[in-house]
Amino acid sequence: MTACDPQVNLQGREKLTRLADFLFEAGMLRKTPRSGYQFLGSGSENVAEHSFRTAIVGFVLANEAGADPVHTAMMCLFHDFHEARVGDFNYVNRIYNTCDPKAAFTHALEGTGLEPLVMPYWDELEEAESLEAKLAQDADQIDLILNLKEESDLGNKYAGKWLEGALPRLRTEVGKALAERICETDHTDWWYKGPEKSWWMRKNGKKKAK
């Protein structure tokens, strides 16, 4: 580690201080935009929003597949943490930009005591050999698919083309089945079809007694 390495200045800090550093760094994900939407032309999302729903999707997929939901969700939760330091590179950016995501994540964890607990999730996800890892990889794609379906429903014709590219990346049968159903479902159904029809007639709730 050289004198110009940013981690030099963080060495020697107490564990609780490094945990505070880590949590502040986690907050940067709320300020780090997902860059692909610049090319799509509509929609927006930050990395924290993406990671949150990806973890939920992973939990759901694992439960459907008979895998470990918590283990899968944990891989999803941390899968893009490194982007607090390096930013989000979309598929075009990656042609021209290189970085070391594992080094960024390793540096974020140094001194927190979380390394032996969290880094194995990273390694397992990168190897993509276990069922949970494959499901977590699918969850990452399905979060994107959900957003693309919404943008498609709202009239962005390019979102449909992106969907065609995202679907073949899925690795598991349960992931493919869920993605197919997502593509068949209007993104507003959960809202418009949820309440009783009489609610729409009342508009603002219960009628006042005369």
Side-chain angles (χ1 to χ4, degrees), residues 57-69 131 135 172-175 177-178:
V57 174
F59 190 93
V60 169
L61 286 177
N63 185 62
E64 287 295 303
D68 186 330
L131 175 57
L135 292 166
T172 68
E173 291 305 314
V174 67
L178 180 57

Side-chain angles (χ1 to χ4, degrees), residues 105-134:
F105 192 33
T106 299
H107 289 167
L109 289 168
E110 282 180 356
T112 65
L114 298 173
E115 303 98 310
L117 180 64
V118 176
M119 280 309 302
Y121 290 124
W122 173 278
D123 293 331
E124 182 180 350
L125 184 62
E126 288 298 301
E127 292 168 3
E129 294 294 334
S130 69
L131 175 57
E132 284 78 8
K134 292 175 182 177

